[in-house]
Amino acid sequence: MEKQERDIEIRTQVLSVDVEKVGNFLFEEPEHSFLGNWDLQLSPASHHAANLLQAVQKLQKSDLPVAFPTETVYGLGADATRGEAIAGIYNAKRRPADNPLIVHISSLTQLRHLLDLSPGSDTTPLNGIREDPIPTIYHSVISRFWPGPLTILLPLPQPSPLAPSVTAGLPTFGARMPSSRLALALIHLAGVPVAAPSANASTRPSPTTAAHVLHDLSGRIELIIDGGPCHVGVESTVVDGLADPPVVLRPGGVSIETLRQCSGWEHVVVGYRDGVETGVPRAPGMKYKHYSPTARVILVQGKLSIRLLTTHLRGCMNAGLATTKTWRVEDLAVSEASITQRVAKAGGALRYFIVQNGTPDAMHSNASNVGHCSTLTATPGYTDIADGKDSDAVRVVVTDLGTSPAVIAQNLFSALRELDMQGVDVIFVEGIGADEGLTAAAVMNRLRKAAELEIRS
C-alpha cells in the first residue's frame, strides 16, 4: 500500500531539450568523432542546457529513472552502478527481474574503464599496442556501427562495477553507444554508464515519442526529456561475438547483411526466435511477450478480405488496419453473400466506415475512390462516428506503415499506439517478408511477439 501511495504522489515532468542548443561538442580526434575522446561545453544562457542538467542530476542522485530519447526508441535510464537506481527501472516498468538491461556508454574510454579498471586502460586506442579489454572480434563492428543501433555482448569483469540487477545474474552484459547526440550528452555529463531499457510499461509497444512515455509512465517517474521523435523506431540489434560463429540474439537497427561485411562476422548466424522464448534470456526482448497494445493484434501474411475481417472480429465493432506493401482499402470493396456476421440489412455485403487520419468517411462496401492512406501521424479525436448510420456498421481505422522495412520500423510502434488511442478492439497488421533483411526481420520479430494470432491467407 505504501508503494502504491508513493507512485501516485510522483509528479512527472516533461522537459524539452534541443541538443543543437545545449552547447558545443569538442573532439580530440575529429576523424573518430565520438569513438575518440570528446567533451561538451554547455551554453550558460541556454534553457535547453539547464533542462539537460536537471536530467543529469537525477541520474547522479535519484533512485527514480529518467526517460530520454535515443535514435532507436526512448530509453528509461539509471546509473548502472547503483542497485537502488536500477530497482527504480524495474519498478517503473513492472519489468521481470530476470530480463537483463543494456548499458549505454558515451565513449570507448568509458567502456574500457568498465571492462578494465587497471591504471592506463582508459587511454588505450582501438587496435592499440596495449591489450584492449574490448574483445578483438568487436573492433570491426564498433568501427562500422558505433555510435549506432548495435548492442554487443561482453564478458562481465570481476569484480564488476555494474549493479548485479543489470545483468540479471548472467556472466555477460550488453553495451551500446547510441548515435543520438542528446543521449550521448546526457551520459557524458552524468559521468556514469547508464542502464536503459525502452521507456514503456512492460509488454507495451516501445515508445518513439515523449508522449508515448508519458502515457505509460506518468506518475511512476519524475522526468522525461523530450528530444523529439526517434528516427529508427525499433530497438538495437543485439549480437554475441563471444560465440563461434557470432550470433544475432535480437534483430534491430543493423542488418545481418551489413554485419557480414565486417571482418570476423562473415558467418554470423541468427540465434533468436520470433515467439516468446523460455529459459534464461541472454539478451533483452528474448523471453517475454513484448510490444503489445491493449487491442488484440492479428498478424496477416497474405491478402486482405472482408471474410478475413469478419471471421476474426469476435463481436467487435471497431477494427484497425495497419497496411504495408499490398493492402488497399479497395480490397474490401467486394460482396460476399455467405458472410452472416454484421451484414447490411439490404444487400449482403458487410457495411463499414473507413477512418483515415481521424476523419471518418462513411462507406458501404465501395472504396474504389480511396487509395493507400498516409501514415497516421496526427489522430484528432472523434465520437459517434456511426451516429445516424446503420448500427451494424463496423468502424475500420486505417493507417499506412510505409513500404520499405526502414520506414515500417520507424512507424510500427507509434501506429500500434495510435490505433489503441482510436479505441479499436483488434488490429490487423499486414506482414512483410522477413527475408528482406534484418530490419524486416526486426519488424516481424516485434510483430510476432505482439500478435495473439498469425494468419497466412
Side-chain angles (χ1 to χ4, degrees):
M1 179 63 71
E2 290 182 1
K3 183 180 184 306
Q4 290 178 347
E5 290 175 354
R6 182 189 175 196
D7 286 347
I8 293 173
E9 293 171 358
I10 295 175
R11 176 178 174 268
T12 302
Q13 185 178 16
V14 181
L15 297 179
S16 177
V17 175
D18 183 345
V19 73
E20 299 300 325
K21 298 178 180 178
V22 300
N24 297 317
F25 289 86
L26 307 173
F27 302 98
E28 287 187 11
E29 303 175 81
E31 69 275 13
H32 288 152
S33 187
F34 289 101
L35 291 182
N37 293 323
W38 63 277
D39 201 358
L40 175 59
Q41 185 179 58
L42 293 176
S43 299
S46 169
H47 75 273
H48 294 278
N51 288 346
L52 180 60
L53 284 176
Q54 283 195 49
V56 168
Q57 292 166 0
K58 293 289 186 186
L59 279 178
Q60 292 172 331
K61 300 177 181 179
S62 176
D63 292 339
L64 292 175
V66 172
F68 64 96
T70 74
E71 74 279 15
T72 56
V73 298
Y74 270 70
L76 189 63
D79 180 350
T81 67
R82 295 194 294 117
E84 297 85 355
I86 298 304
I89 292 177
Y90 285 98
N91 291 336
K93 284 178 63 73
R94 310 295 192 259
R95 182 183 176 95
D98 66 344
N99 202 2
L101 304 175
I102 292 172
V103 177
H104 294 69
I105 47 95
S106 61
S107 67
L108 292 180
T109 294
Q110 188 179 37
L111 179 58
R112 290 192 177 96
H113 187 67
L114 274 179
L115 294 171
D116 183 359
L117 299 179
S118 62
S121 64
D122 58 345
T123 60
T124 304
L126 189 64
N127 296 322
I129 298 175
R130 185 180 182 276
E131 183 178 355
D132 196 335
I134 301 173
T136 304
I137 185 66
Y138 290 122
H139 289 184
S140 62
V141 293
I142 285 174
S143 295
R144 174 76 180 271
F145 300 113
W146 274 16
L150 181 72
T151 295
I152 61 175
L153 214 61
L154 293 164
L156 189 65
Q158 297 298 332
S160 172
L162 300 177
S165 48
V166 169
T167 62
L170 295 172
T172 56
F173 73 99
R176 179 169 99 84
M177 185 189 295
S179 65
S180 162
R181 286 198 168 203
L182 179 49
L184 289 168
L186 178 67
I187 300 165
H188 175 76
L189 292 173
V192 295
V194 174
S198 54
N200 55 308
S202 189
T203 77
R204 296 279 295 157
S206 297
T208 55
T209 68
H212 296 162
V213 181
L214 186 64
H215 180 271
D216 279 15
L217 301 182
S218 179
R220 300 188 194 181
I221 62 175
E222 289 181 323
L223 184 59
I224 301 170
I225 292 297
D226 184 356
C230 305
H231 69 265
V232 174
V234 294
E235 299 88 347
S236 62
T237 301
V238 180
V239 296
D240 181 3
L242 306 177
D244 186 16
V247 178
V248 175
L249 296 179
R250 183 180 73 180
V254 173
S255 73
I256 197 167
E257 293 81 9
T258 51
L259 279 170
R260 286 175 175 157
Q261 296 171 12
C262 298
S263 175
W265 293 79
E266 294 85 355
H267 305 293
V268 62
V269 297
V270 170
Y272 61 87
R273 294 189 303 178
D274 286 338
V276 177
E277 299 187 26
T278 59
V280 178
R282 295 167 61 190
M286 294 187 71
K287 181 175 181 180
Y288 295 97
K289 183 177 176 65
H290 281 73
Y291 320 117
S292 302
T294 302
R296 292 169 51 234
V297 175
I298 296 178
L299 175 60
V300 182
Q301 298 275 51
K303 184 180 178 181
L304 174 67
S305 69
I306 291 180
R307 182 182 298 278
L308 183 150
L309 204 65
T310 55
T311 298
H312 296 281
L313 281 174
R314 298 182 185 177
C316 301
M317 296 301 296
N318 304 282
L321 295 183
T323 68
T324 57
K325 295 194 172 186
T326 64
W327 285 5
R328 300 291 187 273
V329 175
E330 54 265 34
D331 292 341
L332 299 179
V334 297
S335 176
E336 301 184 28
S338 61
I339 295 176
T340 59
Q341 299 181 34
R342 298 194 190 94
V343 296
K345 296 174 183 177
L350 178 71
R351 295 169 63 87
Y352 53 90
F353 296 96
I354 299 293
V355 180
Q356 302 176 63
N357 295 333
T359 303
D361 180 16
M363 310 195 61
H364 303 284
S365 55
N366 181 9
S368 59
N369 62 331
V370 181
H372 217 184
C373 307
S374 60
T375 301
L376 192 62
T377 54
T379 53
Y382 51 84
T383 57
D384 301 325
I385 190 170
D387 185 35
K389 306 295 193 304
D390 191 326
S391 61
D392 288 330
V394 177
R395 183 182 68 165
V396 181
V397 184
V398 182
T399 181
D400 177 15
L401 299 179
T403 57
S404 72
V407 173
I408 294 169
Q410 184 177 10
N411 293 330
L412 175 61
F413 291 139
S414 180
L416 292 178
R417 286 178 173 272
E418 294 287 359
L419 289 171
D420 244 359
M421 292 176 65
Q422 296 287 355
V424 303
D425 306 296
V426 58
I427 301 172
F428 298 86
V429 183
E430 179 186 4
I432 60 176
D435 57 352
E436 295 181 41
L438 203 59
T439 302
V443 168
M444 292 303 292
N445 173 267
R446 288 1 178 231
L447 283 174
R448 287 185 172 120
K449 287 184 181 293
E452 177 181 304
L453 180 66
E454 181 174 355
I455 298 171
R456 295 185 179 275
S457 64

